[in-house]
Amino acid sequence: MKPVRSLARAMLSGIFVVSGYRNFMNPGRLVPAAKPITDRVTPMLQSANPRIPTDTETLIRANAAVQVGAGLMLATGRLTRPAALVLAGTLVPTTLAGHPFWNTDDPMARNNNQVHFLKNLGLFGGLLLAAVDTEGKPGLRWRTGHRIGHSRRSVQRAVRTARREARIAARAAGTARRLPG
């Protein structure tokens, strides 16, 4: 199953690497569409850290760089689960800025934006699947629960052993008192 996972990850990440590179090299073409979204995000970014650049072109480049980096990580199988989550996070503002079909009056443009919006929604779903894929190995939740159960059983065994040894010691002490001597 490993070749299928590797191929699927490479295929899923391809759009992020290619479009991320294009957007990084030429962010100006996206500024008009991204400006309404970045204007909403700017106050939150400035309150978090006033030194963060908040101009639209810089935010587009940052998003694009993250998409290229996380896309390459996903494609190469390095930190795939966090990379998939990061890509899913970058997809939200990209989709909202790039395909707001609800704001479009032209039926052709509305249909086109709706198709691309749904395509991105499908990519988001694929990224969520990649983010939870444990490659057939037990996940952290199962391992934690299993470890807790194992520890609980170990403690219960230790308590039973201590009780049994205490009973044996009590019997031995009682027998030693009755012996003449």
Side-chain angles (χ1 to χ4, degrees):
M1 191 100 164
K2 178 73 171 156
V4 172
R5 275 191 177 90
S6 298
L7 181 62
R9 285 182 184 142
M11 292 167 66
L12 182 59
S13 67
I15 186 71
F16 295 100
V17 174
V18 171
S19 67
Y21 175 77
R22 285 181 185 157
N23 296 341
F24 186 82
M25 298 308 286
N26 187 13
R29 66 186 174 79
L30 301 173
V31 168
K35 188 113 176 85
I37 301 297
T38 59
D39 287 346
R40 288 183 181 174
V41 174
T42 296
M44 289 186 292
L45 291 174
Q46 286 178 336
S47 68
N49 186 346
R51 288 177 273 163
I52 294 176
T54 55
D55 63 290
T56 303
E57 195 166 308
T58 302
L59 292 174
I60 292 170
R61 281 184 190 245
N63 191 54
V66 169
Q67 286 183 340
V68 170
L72 290 172
M73 289 171 61
L74 183 64
T76 58
R78 303 275 190 260
L79 298 171
T80 56
R81 295 173 72 189
L85 278 177
V86 167
L87 286 172
T90 66
L91 195 57
V92 172
T94 301
T95 303
L96 293 175
H99 309 295
F101 66 90
W102 52 90
N103 290 338
T104 309
D105 294 330
D106 178 25
M108 292 278 288
R110 183 181 185 91
N111 186 45
N112 187 36
N113 275 333
Q114 193 172 30
V115 166
H116 285 291
F117 183 90
L118 292 171
K119 172 205 47 126
N120 284 4
L121 200 59
L123 285 171
F124 190 81
L127 289 168
L128 290 179
L129 284 174
V132 299
D133 180 28
T134 60
E135 298 184 31
K137 299 173 190 162
L140 183 60
R141 182 177 175 186
W142 182 89
R143 289 189 316 230
T144 303
H146 183 74
R147 179 57 48 203
I148 289 170
H150 177 74
S151 298
R152 186 178 297 136
R153 288 187 300 275
S154 294
V155 168
Q156 288 171 344
R157 277 193 304 271
V159 168
R160 282 194 306 266
T161 301
R163 284 180 182 160
R164 186 173 46 248
E165 289 176 358
R167 282 192 303 267
I168 292 170
R171 280 189 226 137
T175 307
R177 271 192 251 140
R178 284 183 258 153
L179 291 174

